[in-house]
Amino acid sequence: TEVVSHLLAEAFSSCGDLAEAMRQVCRRLEGAFTLVAVHADAPDVVVGARRNSPLVVGVGEGESFLASDVAAFIAHTRSAIELGQDQVVEARRDGVTVTDFDGAPAEVRSYHVDWDASAAEKDGYASFMLKEIAEQPKAVADTLLGRIDAEGALTLDEVRIPAAVLREADKVVIVACGTAFHAGLIAKYAIEHWTRLPCEVELASEFRYRDPILDRRTLVVAISQSGETMDTLMALRHAREQGAKVLAICNTNGSTIPRESDAVLYTHAGPEVAVASTKAFLTQLVACYLVALYLGQRRGTKWGDEIRDVIRDLGRIAGEVERVLATMEPVRALARTLKDKRTVLFLGRHVGYPVALEGALKLKELAYMHAEGFAAGELKHGPIALVEPDLPVVVVVPSPRGRSVLHGKIVSNIQEIRARGARTIVIAEEGDEAVVPYADHLIRIPATPTLLQPLVATVPLQVFACELATARGNEVDQPRNLAKSVTVE
Ligand code: M6R
């Protein structure tokens, strides 16, 4: 960018027009960039340009805004313009002009941002993260809104992928990063169980480098809160080049990932400001369940009444999350007692395994502690050697209903680690008495169908990480070394 500013100064001195100078410079640049320039000799204009990196424009009354995310200007205007790839915008008080890098006028898409301006304020909470954790019941309920018709069938109107393509798909591939990747890992269980389609989940940053097998019958699902994660964007571009259809699950209207996908299912979490993803994760899960059910509906692997049953269960989740949030004081107190620990391990099985990974990620990024998630069945293959007296180990326990084999197995895992001195922190369903003798700390969650359990089991882990980080004196909304949207590879 330092070189760019010199190039701009040089071009401006010969053409005298900042937007034209920007276009001349952009034509010479390679790679990904978002540039915003002002010049002392052009006082009434701000010029922006983008390639492979986000820039949105806000159009107010007598004022214009350039930002990487609409959350930055929704307190001033909710009228936004998507800036396309390789475009230059000239923003003035009385409006904006958009061209491509050659100066040809560009067709712009304006849209209304329906996020509430107060959503980008802390509203009395100590941090955005605490506020966003508290907003989860609403976010979950909003993401279900308008997606079910009077007969209880799913109406995912946004999924413009033709029914025949969905019926004939022979594989689902999910690409995502970080927390969104964990949502994808959970989605795999639902997709395979409800549709009998094989589903692979891949870290977007690894995807295109291993020459993945994709064709017209592959449905790729790209999950991203921001819609700007470069690794995920590159993965979806690669998938489309191979002929695959891409469905995005995204929280940010007008962002690049949905724009470049064949279809999009928006989550309705509202703006997520804290770097650590919380409400976006829960809504990504809801969207993944909807996609899995929709595939089941289209492919005829799920009967209408089965779909209605799951939808009814999903409809109850907002209330269950509310109940979990109301019982978090002991979790906060426990977190404070662990502030001087060096390591915390997280264990889970089945859908509880990605929940364990998510719990560990939250602790790493917020508390800067060594935290690792494992599939509990893997313990004996290595990780159990890490267990030492008083090591905190969080275990996510699946439902005991139906005398689940899995439940019995995880109870043995808890016994194994406790016998080696671990301090067990057990997250288990209300009424699960089998875990009580082996839990040093017991965190209760409401009984939910197994596949939906992550929606309630993740919440205590978010609260735990947030409180522990605060007790360690860390800034929870802006953890060190991290950015909210990772727009570089
Ligand atoms: O915007 P995205 O959902 O694509 O972001 C993906 C990850 O960067 C993100 O989930 C990250 O892992 C969070 N900070 C985790 O809390």
Side-chain angles (χ1 to χ4, degrees):
T1 44
E2 192 175 340
V3 173
V4 169
S5 62
H6 288 287
L7 291 173
L8 268 173
E10 201 178 270
F12 183 80
S13 66
S14 59
C15 74
D17 176 333
L18 194 56
E20 177 50 26
M22 180 66 95
R23 285 188 284 269
Q24 288 178 12
V25 171
C26 286
R27 291 200 292 269
R28 299 176 63 188
L29 300 179
E30 288 179 9
F33 50 84
T34 294
L35 301 168
V36 175
V38 289
H39 198 293
D41 297 341
D44 294 325
V45 61
V46 179
V47 172
R50 73 168 283 260
R51 169 182 286 163
N52 288 329
S53 197
L55 182 61
V56 279
V57 182
V59 186
E61 280 185 23
E63 51 188 359
S64 306
F65 302 84
L66 300 183
S68 58
D69 191 305
V70 293
F73 57 66
I74 51 173
H76 306 279
T77 180
R78 303 225 240 129
S79 170
I81 289 178
E82 291 177 4
L83 203 60
Q85 179 74 318
D86 286 3
Q87 289 185 347
V88 169
V89 57
E90 200 177 338
R92 300 180 179 275
R93 254 179 228 295
D94 56 354
V96 300
T97 313
V98 182
T99 66
D100 64 18
F101 285 175
D102 291 320
E107 220 175 89
V108 293
R109 191 184 84 86
S110 312
Y111 62 102
H112 177 77
V113 184
D114 51 14
W115 286 349
D116 190 332
S118 72
E121 307 287 334
K122 280 194 212 160
D123 269 351
Y125 285 88
S127 63
F128 277 109
M129 183 173 179
L130 281 173
K131 176 175 176 246
E132 288 160 8
I133 289 174
E135 284 171 347
Q136 292 184 109
K138 181 172 183 321
V140 164
D142 286 355
T143 300
L144 284 170
L145 269 185
R147 275 150 184 178
I148 297 130
D149 69 15
E151 275 76 51
L154 274 174
T155 50
L156 300 187
D157 294 339
E158 306 105 306
V159 181
R160 301 175 310 259
I161 296 177
V165 174
L166 295 179
R167 263 197 308 274
E168 281 152 29
D170 62 2
K171 180 168 78 168
V172 178
V173 176
I174 300 178
V175 288
C177 301
T179 288
F181 172 71
H182 297 154
L185 290 175
I186 293 165
K188 173 183 169 78
Y189 290 85
I191 290 172
E192 292 192 338
H193 186 63
W194 290 337
T195 71
R196 308 311 296 151
L197 267 175
C199 175
E200 296 165 11
V201 191
E202 182 103 347
L203 285 168
S205 53
E206 290 291 322
F207 185 64
R208 67 192 173 118
Y209 302 105
R210 68 163 179 87
D211 195 12
I213 300 165
L214 302 159
D215 60 30
R216 293 184 180 284
R217 297 184 67 191
T218 313
L219 176 66
V220 171
V221 179
I223 309 175
S224 174
Q225 185 286 130
S226 61
E228 300 293 351
T229 300
M230 184 57 75
D231 290 313
T232 310
L233 179 61
M234 289 303 176
L236 85 81
R237 283 186 186 161
H238 180 78
R240 293 192 77 199
E241 277 160 22
Q242 313 300 306
K245 286 271 181 269
V246 177
L247 167 65
I249 291 178
C250 186
N251 194 45
T252 312
N253 202 323
S255 57
T256 313
I257 287 174
R259 278 214 311 269
E260 294 205 14
S261 299
D262 295 285
V264 54
L265 187 67
Y266 280 109
T267 50
H268 296 310
E272 192 179 62
V273 178
V275 165
S277 184
T278 53
K279 60 176 181 171
F281 177 66
L282 256 56
T283 59
Q284 283 163 352
L285 288 180
V286 171
C288 286
Y289 293 127
L290 291 176
V291 167
L293 288 174
Y294 189 66
L295 278 172
Q297 183 173 288
R298 287 277 178 220
R299 298 169 64 82
T301 52
K302 272 271 174 220
W303 297 105
D305 52 347
E306 293 175 307
I307 293 175
R308 275 190 289 278
D309 285 351
V310 183
I311 295 288
R312 190 202 51 221
D313 293 336
L314 276 171
R316 290 187 183 132
I317 292 290
E320 308 291 22
V321 173
E322 194 85 64
R323 280 177 57 210
V324 175
L325 287 170
T327 59
M328 285 297 97
E329 199 38 55
V331 174
R332 280 190 278 269
L334 168 64
R336 290 192 290 270
T337 67
L338 301 177
K339 78 175 183 31
D340 296 319
K341 291 282 176 197
R342 290 171 62 86
T343 295
V344 180
L345 300 186
F346 293 77
L347 303 179
R349 298 187 84 117
H350 193 262
V351 288
Y353 167 44
V355 173
L357 294 177
E358 175 61 8
L361 177 62
K362 290 280 98 79
L363 205 60
K364 279 181 240 194
E365 70 179 328
L366 294 165
Y368 318 149
M369 288 167 77
H370 172 231
E372 273 194 80
F374 296 109
E378 276 293 294
L379 264 185
K380 55 188 175 299
H381 300 290
I384 200 163
L386 291 170
V387 177
E388 56 187 20
D390 215 31
L391 174 81
V393 184
V394 180
V395 189
V396 183
V397 178
S399 168
R401 274 161 301 141
R403 293 211 186 140
S404 132
V405 181
L406 214 55
H407 180 265
K409 296 252 192 266
I410 209 156
V411 174
S412 326
N413 295 140
I414 304 173
Q415 288 173 283
E416 281 158 16
I417 52 168
R418 199 156 183 270
R420 286 158 181 85
R423 187 185 326 181
T424 56
I425 302 165
V426 176
I427 300 182
E429 223 177 82
E430 285 157 357
D432 179 350
E433 294 308 317
V435 294
V436 175
Y438 315 110
D440 295 313
H441 306 275
L442 188 55
I443 300 170
R444 288 297 191 187
I445 51 173
T448 42
T450 305
L451 280 170
L452 307 189
Q453 197 204 47
L455 287 165
V456 289
T458 308
V459 178
L461 300 181
Q462 300 167 338
V463 173
F464 179 74
C466 186
E467 188 71 20
L468 218 158
T470 308
R472 285 164 74 94
N474 298 354
E475 160 56 68
V476 292
D477 285 340
Q478 289 286 331
R480 68 184 184 198
N481 307 340
L482 292 173
K484 181 64 184 161
S485 308
V486 185
T487 55
V488 289
E489 268 191 290

